[in-house]
Amino acid sequence: MFYNLRLVYITTKNKQEAKSIGKTLVKEQLAACVNIVEGMESIYRWEGEIVEDTETILIAKTPYHNVKELTERVKTLHSYDCPCIISLQLTEQEGNEEYQRWIIKNSQKQEIDYEVEDI
């Protein structure tokens, strides 16, 4: 079955910010789960300058129907002027289907037009 799931890749200034945003996304059922990866080194151009910085990655697992609201919510919680929030589509015919159903069941903020079997 095709559930239209996404991984939403978000960079944050530190672990504390990632945890705060992640907890909000799960609490508000905008994501079923988030992963936090500390210590990423970033090199990017900002306001005409090359910047080297350490950031923390936040990866949210959610269905497509939550991505727009999740993006807007992250923007309100984030300290950056222009936060990295990128949605990546999952290849759903691969991997653990029970886990995919779990993502749907635990991020049902909006109505969906299909049934998800119990796991």
Side-chain angles (χ1 to χ4, degrees):
M1 174 159 236
F2 183 67
Y3 298 120
N4 209 3
L5 300 177
R6 298 292 192 271
L7 293 180
V8 182
Y9 176 89
I10 303 161
T11 58
T12 63
K13 68 179 178 178
N14 57 37
K15 185 176 180 179
Q16 180 181 358
E17 182 173 57
K19 284 181 82 170
S20 176
I21 293 171
K23 283 182 183 181
T24 299
L25 296 178
V26 173
K27 180 179 178 183
E28 294 179 4
Q29 291 186 284
L30 291 169
C33 173
V34 299
N35 298 116
I36 297 170
V37 182
E38 261 189 298
M40 176 183 69
E41 292 189 37
S42 298
I43 302 171
Y44 54 93
R45 184 177 302 278
W46 184 250
E47 298 179 344
E49 301 291 325
I50 301 295
V51 178
E52 293 186 38
D53 208 350
T54 301
E55 296 182 291
T56 298
I57 302 167
L58 176 65
I59 302 170
K61 298 163 193 162
T62 194
Y64 172 76
H65 65 255
N66 283 349
V67 172
K68 184 175 181 180
E69 188 175 353
L70 181 149
T71 299
E72 291 306 314
R73 188 65 172 122
V74 170
K75 287 167 69 176
T76 68
L77 298 168
H78 210 291
S79 64
Y80 291 175
D81 292 335
C82 183
C84 170
I85 308 166
I86 299 174
S87 174
L88 305 166
Q89 185 173 359
L90 295 177
T91 303
E92 296 179 31
Q93 294 75 20
E94 301 171 355
N96 184 350
E97 187 175 349
E98 290 85 8
Y99 186 77
Q100 293 170 13
R101 289 195 306 262
W102 178 85
I103 291 173
I104 291 288
K105 285 184 159 286
N106 286 281
S107 53
Q108 286 188 330
K109 185 169 179 79
Q110 299 181 18
E111 292 295 318
I112 56 175
D113 62 356
Y114 50 84
E115 292 292 320
V116 178
E117 300 172 13
D118 287 332
I119 52 177

